[in-house]
Amino acid sequence: MSAGPEEIARAVQRLRAGGLVAFPTETVYGLGAIARDERAVERVFLVKGRPAANPLIVHVSGEEMARTLTTAWSDHASALARAFWPGPLTMVVRRAPSVPAIVAGGGETVAIRCPAHPLTLALIEMVGEGIVGPSANRSGHVSPTSAAHVEDEFGTEIRNGEMMVLDGGACRAGIESTVVSLVGSEATVLRPGVIGASEIASVLGARVGSRSGSESVSDGAMSSPGRMETHYAPRTRAVMLERAEIARVVGDCNVPVALIAITGVGVAGVHRVIEIPRDAIGYASSLYRVLREADASGAGLIVIERPPEGGEDAEIWTAIHDRLRRATTPRA
Ligand code: TXA
Ligand code: MG
């Protein structure tokens, strides 16, 4: 059930009173607080268990609001906003002094995005200023793509009145926004998402770099901590296998196995088979839901059939593989 105008009004009051409101977006649910309210932002870090050095995205209702958060809104930023907002693109730019340092993990930049969800756009418009929104999950865990997932993460905080959830239905895109830094001499994708580097490059008419590999919190100077190795992870150990390896691994395994498969073909001895769409868009929008379902199935091991790479939707598959790599453990 989608929230109505009364609930939006209640959410606005909550935010203005320094409270936390989980909100829907087209990617995943965010955990909102007014970005200028340092104490509320501190609560966001606390309830998530998020390291203080990992900066938050500020969600805005459009380009005009974005300009108030930065000292350097460039032509490039403007072109990307016009091409992709509202939508799953986050831009990292120089932080204005009005944005508290805590939002930026202590750094000099701020990440900004305008989400494509009518409820949340209305919420931000009514609040009249930017709201932070890390994914509404405990730090390191699978991101939520429905209000029920947020309740699974923060049942206690919701019951004791510390947090409310605006239900906006299931998220369409299903994986987090592309994060692109506009701070250096060339635009650089820090976190892949549904909007690919090549689409960004064609809007900018310039080369777009991309950072691969991973970092850890202990590295100190994190450029985008969503790139930490263990992230988006179910609580149950998960591995990714080629189709041909699955039967042997399941046969050798002495705990119940949940299998996430695109082929729809069952494997003998599997405790639970969860199907996931074969196309990139369908796969991305289902990924976190099926990971949560596998995690809740009572299995001792989650096996994920390796999905395709490359092809027509190569950049979406890149983003999916980025999340899968962080959700799984390499086999020893
Ligand atoms: O789709 C999304 O982006 C969702 C929805 C709710 O908008 N939000 C989200 O937030 O995924 P979070 O906090 O889970 O991930 C934000 C990512 C992290 O990898 C963080 O390190 C990076 O953005 N980030 C935030 N501020 C940054 C900054 N100033 N410089 C570099 N990276 C930054
Ligand atoms: Mg997150």
Side-chain angles (χ1 to χ4, degrees):
M1 265 299 288
S2 215
E6 279 161 34
E7 265 171 295
I8 299 180
R10 209 152 55 79
V12 172
Q13 276 175 6
R14 284 286 194 112
L15 288 170
R16 289 210 179 114
L20 308 186
V21 175
F23 59 85
T25 80
E26 78 283 30
T27 60
V28 302
Y29 275 69
L31 180 50
I34 290 184
R36 269 189 319 121
D37 185 339
E38 292 184 43
R39 287 192 55 186
V41 174
E42 205 178 325
R43 284 303 300 162
V44 170
F45 277 95
L46 220 91
V47 299
K48 272 187 65 83
R50 182 174 178 115
N54 191 351
L56 306 180
I57 296 172
V58 180
H59 294 71
V60 297
S61 56
E63 188 177 344
E64 197 185 326
M65 195 181 280
R67 285 174 186 275
T68 67
L69 304 172
T70 175
T71 51
W73 188 255
S74 62
D75 291 346
H76 276 183
S78 197
L80 292 177
R82 264 178 289 153
F84 299 114
W85 280 3
L89 183 73
T90 296
M91 290 185 241
V92 173
V93 293
R94 294 241 158 261
R95 171 171 68 93
S98 61
V99 179
I102 184 175
V103 169
E108 293 308 316
T109 60
V110 61
I112 310 176
R113 140 167 149 87
C114 175
H117 196 293
L119 274 188
T120 295
L121 286 172
L123 177 73
I124 302 168
E125 274 289 301
M126 286 171 73
V127 170
E129 58 179 306
I131 61 182
V132 296
S135 51
N137 53 273
R138 308 249 174 215
S139 191
H141 194 222
V142 179
S143 299
T145 54
S146 72
H149 293 166
V150 180
E151 281 157 26
D152 291 342
E153 293 287 322
F154 295 113
T156 312
E157 289 79 2
I158 292 165
R159 275 189 301 276
N160 72 21
E162 193 179 349
M163 187 188 300
M164 76 173 267
V165 187
L166 264 188
D167 189 346
C171 302
R172 264 187 300 118
I175 58 175
E176 301 82 354
S177 62
T178 305
V179 178
V180 63
S181 169
L182 301 180
V183 171
S185 55
E186 86 174 2
T188 306
V189 170
L190 303 179
R191 179 176 70 181
V194 167
I195 295 174
S198 71
E199 287 175 82
I200 296 170
S202 75
V203 169
L204 298 183
R207 215 190 89 85
V208 173
S210 126
R211 299 249 175 95
S212 57
S214 65
E215 307 165 12
S216 72
V217 183
S218 56
D219 286 352
M222 283 186 289
S223 53
S224 193
R227 298 167 57 234
M228 286 183 293
E229 207 44 68
T230 316
H231 220 90
Y232 317 113
R235 300 201 159 87
T236 313
R237 191 164 92 91
V239 295
M240 183 158 62
L241 299 177
E242 299 297 340
R243 173 81 204 151
E245 305 172 288
I246 295 174
R248 183 183 47 78
V249 172
V250 170
D252 289 350
C253 189
N254 51 14
V255 293
V257 173
L259 171 64
I260 296 174
I262 47 180
T263 54
V265 182
V267 174
V270 170
H271 159 74
R272 174 85 153 264
V273 180
I274 304 168
E275 285 186 38
I276 184 160
R278 168 184 293 282
D279 66 291
I281 291 173
Y283 195 104
S285 72
S286 311
L287 178 60
Y288 292 146
R289 177 178 51 76
V290 301
L291 281 176
R292 283 171 177 274
E293 200 179 321
D295 217 3
S297 71
L301 177 71
I302 299 172
V303 172
I304 303 169
E305 178 186 5
R306 179 187 288 280
E309 268 169 285
E312 207 185 319
D313 291 316
E315 291 184 298
I316 303 178
W317 285 119
T318 298
I320 290 169
H321 278 278
D322 170 77
R323 305 310 192 276
L324 285 174
R325 197 161 42 72
R326 291 166 214 288
T328 54
T329 48
R331 273 175 304 153

